[in-house]
Every structure is written in structure tokens, then in C-alpha cells.
Amino acid sequence: MTYKVGILGLGTVGMGVAKILQDPLGRHPLLPEIEIGRVGVRSLNKQRDVAIAPTVITDDLEAIVNDETVDIVVEVMGGIEPAKSLILKAIGNGKHIVTANKAVIARHGNEIFTAAKQKGVYVMLEAAACGGIPVIQALKQSLGANRISELTGIVNGTTNYILSRMYFEGADFDATLAEAQQLGYAEADPTADVDGYDAADKMAILASLAFGDRVKLEDIYREGIRSITSADIGYAKELGFTIKLLGIAKRAKSKSNNNDSSLEIRVHPTLLPIQHPLANIHGVTNAVRIEGDPIGEVVFSGPGAGSGATASAVVADIINVVAALKSMPNQVNQLMGCSHEHYAKIAPIADTVTQFYARLLTHDKPGVIGDLGTAFGKHSVSLNAILQKTTVHDGLAEIVVVTQRVSECNFQKAIAAIRELPTMHSIPTILRVL
Ligand code: HSE
């Protein structure tokens, strides 16, 4: 018996999937039993780097999700609609889903998984977070014995490429972004990547698997990397840090110590000590560090995007579904399902306790450092490091401070007071430190 897949989308990922399915030898022994039944595209006339028989390819995407011969719908078209509606229709028709669509899962996972549970079908999403890195299966299965306390990741390749270039070449953000766009590492509209939306989608998915509760995207605190300058990268280096866009998810420390099970989930540029395992992940590479009991620390790294890497994850999911269908055709394998029913309680960002980095421009007058120290002290913010550079321009001095671990709430109050100091010119950058 062969299993038929209907592929929605024949872009970079769809072509990667088709190529693996057309060339099964030397890979998993189940692959020859998997056949491309239908392929849905937006435009039939586009030249493509993969040979698909004209009888298999169609621009009628609904026909694929309604096709009785299709067992598994592989959604690799991206975007919210029509992808979401097609996934739900396919589930309604009893088809299993393999998707690479983080945006749909992060926003509509609730509806999709509820429908899938009712129908007894699989929704597989290894490719939806960190492309080729097998982190979803690790969270669902291989780390199942662990109580996860923290998941931290470089989950966006575009921003990691930009920040790596800025770190190694001292280049500015705008010039590096423009170059990344020319080289195809950043989209013409880079918003989803550089403003952290893509990373937040992936963190919603990873955190819900790590901590066992659904996560609402809008609860995730998010900041992008546009405010990072070459000056910040230079100071970070001088202080023994690099700067990465990190997704951070962990159990929040309870203020009252009475079983508060809220989570802290945030995406923001972060100063990372140079010896941290994620500090040396450069270029478009992604990495995820998971801390659990009893395993301790595990770090996964690899390609987070691209045709082959993402197709590797998609095809692994197809193989898993086929294996499950062969061995237990009338039951759902619990290790492959999604059992979350409740939403996680997310701690407000004001409750975060972390170190901060701030770069301040002040008038170059006596007493400035004293004023700063007093304002921080008044709000219980202790400083770890302070750097002052000679006048930068127009009689202004640049001062960089790194705090000890303090509450976000106290730090922001101190910063509000500092902005009002007569000696203060501006505060161009505030970042968190891991
Ligand atoms: N735009 C994403 C990134 C790749 O830069 O990581 C797809 O998730």
C-alpha cells in the first residue's frame, strides 16, 4: 500500500519536499511507500526546478483537501489565509496535516488542534519552528521525562545574520540589513524578522510544547533589533558580551512562593556573555538551549530555514505519520498528538528580574555620574559596570551602565527619573542582559 500526500505550495520548501519524495533511495525505508498524489500551486505557468507531472499539479487547492485519495496534506504555502481554512477543511475531511506554517499554528493552533482531536488525525509541525533542527520531536518525545525549566533560543536566522555581521564587521544596522536583503537573507519587507514577530511565533510554539500549556501570541513581550547600533555592539564586546535576538521562556519565579505557575516569555535583543553556548551561533544558524530536570542542559543548533533543511523536517513528519498509520491505523499515537487544553498564565514584563544595559548621552558636566548613581540607588537598582567615553559630539558624553539583576519595574522607574535629570540628553539604547 502507498500513502498519498497532497502538497499545498511549491515554493522553496514545497520543492525541497517533492525532491526528497522523488528520490527516496538511501533514506528512510518507508519513503518508497509515500507518493506525491497532488500538488497545489497558485500559478500553473511558473517555471520550477522540479519535475511534477501535469496531471498531478493543479491550481485548485480546495480539490486537494477534498481529494479522497489524499491521506496527508502537506501545507507549505505560508501565510494565514487560505492556509488556515485549507488545513481546517482537510482535517474536517479526515486528513492528517504536516505543516511548516508557524504563523497559522501560533495564532490558530487552538482551533486546529481541537478539530484534529475530534477527528482523530495528526497535525505535525516540526518545520514550523527552527526549520531543520529536530526540536519539536525532542520536546514532544525525547525529553518527555524532564521537567523543563527554561528554553532559550536564537530562532530567527535573518536577525542572527545581521547581528553577526554587525559584531564581526562593526557595521551599522541599516547598511547590514540592506546587504542582507540584496543577498536574499532578508525579505524586501523585513518587519516580521527584524521586529521579532517571526521569533515570537516560534516561541509561542516551542514554549507551549516545553511547558505543556497553550500560549497566546499577544502575551509574548516582543522587541526587535532596529535600535541596535554599532556603538552598542562595540560596548557589548568591551564588556565581554555579544548581542543576539533571543527568545526566552521560563517558569516565572513566584513572588509569593505559593505555587504560582506562570511563565515568562519574551523576545528581545539580549546581551549574552561571550562564553554562553548561544553566543557563538553565528550567521543564519538557529539554536535552542533547553534546561530540564534531570537532563540539565541540552543545546540544539542547525539550519533554521532553507529548502533542504525545512523539507528535512517536513518529510520526517510525513514518515512519522505513515509509520503511525501502518502500526496503529485506528488509534492516535499520543506521543505525536497535542494534548494541551489550557492557556498558560504569562507573567507581565514588569515582573521580570534581569540585568540591564543602558547607553546614555549626557551633558559633559561635573556631577553627572553622581546624579545617575543617586537615581538608580533611589529605585534599588545596583550597578555592575559603568563606562564613560570622552566627549562624543556637541559637548556630550556617552555613559554605558550594566546593572545587577533588578526588577524591570524598578529599572524603568529609575530610567524615567533619569530622563528628567537636567544633565541628561537622551537614552538611545536600553537592552536586557541574559
Ligand atoms: N524568516 C525566518 C528566519 C525563516 O529568518 O529565521 C523562516 O522561519
Side-chain angles (χ1 to χ4, degrees):
M1 174 177 176
T2 58
Y3 292 83
K4 281 207 166 69
V5 297
I7 305 176
L8 299 174
L10 199 53
T12 315
V13 180
M15 283 198 284
V17 171
K19 281 180 187 169
I20 297 173
L21 295 179
Q22 288 172 342
D23 176 25
L25 289 185
R27 308 184 203 266
H28 196 282
L30 278 179
L31 273 176
E33 296 180 36
I34 301 165
E35 197 183 307
I36 302 176
R38 307 291 298 272
V39 177
V41 294
R42 285 194 183 97
S43 160
L44 288 171
N45 301 323
K46 199 168 157 186
Q47 281 293 319
R48 292 183 173 89
D49 179 27
V50 63
I52 305 280
T55 48
V56 166
I57 203 159
T58 174
D59 58 3
D60 183 356
L61 303 181
E62 295 251 347
I64 295 182
V65 300
N66 291 328
D67 187 328
E68 282 182 5
T69 67
V70 167
D71 303 291
I72 302 169
V73 167
V74 175
E75 186 276 304
V76 284
M77 58 196 297
I80 304 291
E81 285 294 2
K84 176 199 156 202
S85 299
L86 289 166
I87 288 173
L88 286 169
K89 270 195 189 134
I91 291 172
N93 289 333
K95 305 198 185 305
H96 305 281
I97 306 293
V98 172
T99 180
N101 197 326
K102 65 201 152 257
V104 163
I105 295 295
R107 283 163 190 76
H108 304 290
N110 184 5
E111 198 182 344
I112 288 170
F113 286 110
T114 303
K117 198 170 176 184
Q118 273 164 9
K119 275 287 180 180
V121 298
Y122 296 109
V123 175
M124 305 291 285
L125 60 150
E126 184 65 70
C130 303
I133 305 178
V135 65
I136 304 272
Q137 185 157 355
L139 286 168
K140 277 187 180 173
Q141 301 189 19
S142 324
L143 294 172
N146 287 271
R147 202 171 284 130
I148 309 282
S149 51
E150 185 168 335
L151 182 151
T152 307
I154 295 173
V155 297
N156 181 269
T158 304
T159 46
N160 204 41
Y161 173 84
I162 293 172
L163 291 172
S164 301
R165 296 288 304 259
M166 289 175 73
Y167 182 83
F168 286 113
E169 291 159 32
D172 268 318
F173 173 79
D174 288 333
T176 314
L177 170 62
E179 205 184 304
Q181 286 171 314
Q182 268 169 14
L183 293 169
Y185 291 133
E187 306 274 349
D189 176 359
T191 311
D193 293 316
V194 302
D195 294 321
Y197 293 98
D198 173 85
D201 285 355
K202 292 168 182 166
M203 286 306 291
I205 294 170
L206 293 174
S208 75
L209 290 168
F211 298 103
D213 278 323
R214 289 179 179 161
V215 173
K216 284 192 188 133
L217 200 50
E218 59 270 25
D219 287 345
I220 298 182
Y221 178 83
R222 178 193 49 75
E223 265 177 42
I225 65 164
R226 289 186 201 262
S227 67
I228 312 290
T229 65
S230 53
D232 296 312
I233 302 260
Y235 286 125
K237 259 188 191 176
E238 203 172 326
L239 292 160
F241 296 98
T242 182
I243 300 180
K244 298 286 186 191
L245 181 74
L246 287 191
I248 299 169
K250 54 178 155 178
R251 293 235 170 261
K253 291 260 183 304
S254 164
K255 276 187 174 165
S256 53
N257 245 356
N258 60 357
N259 282 342
D260 182 351
S261 61
S262 60
L263 297 179
E264 215 181 283
I265 311 188
R266 40 200 168 97
V267 168
H268 52 67
T270 312
L271 268 78
L272 198 57
I274 203 68
Q275 62 277 14
H276 189 279
L278 300 184
N280 287 306
I281 304 295
H282 300 304
V284 293
T285 303
N286 284 194
V288 178
R289 176 187 177 277
I290 298 170
E291 219 176 275
D293 174 35
I295 194 164
E297 174 188 72
V298 273
V299 181
F300 300 82
S301 69
S307 177
T310 311
S312 158
V314 168
V315 176
D317 276 348
I318 300 173
I319 293 169
N320 276 323
V321 172
V322 167
L325 294 178
K326 278 179 78 107
S327 59
M328 41 201 303
N330 301 314
Q331 286 174 50
V332 174
N333 177 342
Q334 285 202 3
L335 286 173
M336 290 162 56
C338 174
S339 51
H340 315 147
E341 306 254 302
H342 304 288
Y343 279 99
K345 186 173 156 211
I346 308 294
I349 188 74
D351 287 0
T352 304
V353 174
T354 190
Q355 286 181 265
F356 286 88
Y357 157 103
R359 180 163 62 88
L360 310 103
L361 286 178
T362 72
H363 298 289
D364 199 0
K365 297 223 169 90
V368 168
I369 298 270
D371 288 349
L372 277 179
T374 306
F376 278 126
K378 250 190 194 163
H379 295 280
S380 312
V381 175
S382 294
L383 300 183
N384 223 2
I386 182 155
L387 285 178
Q388 179 175 358
K389 293 291 162 179
T390 46
T391 302
V392 275
H393 51 78
D394 298 336
L396 297 177
E398 194 161 48
I399 297 176
V400 167
V401 297
V402 177
T403 72
Q404 293 188 1
R405 281 172 64 76
V406 296
S407 91
E408 168 104 19
C409 180
N410 284 355
F411 178 79
Q412 296 298 353
K413 280 185 195 155
I415 287 292
I418 287 166
R419 283 190 205 280
E420 299 304 316
L421 292 173
T423 45
M424 190 57 46
H425 176 272
S426 56
I427 307 179
T429 318
I430 292 176
L431 298 170
R432 293 171 189 80
V433 180
L434 192 70

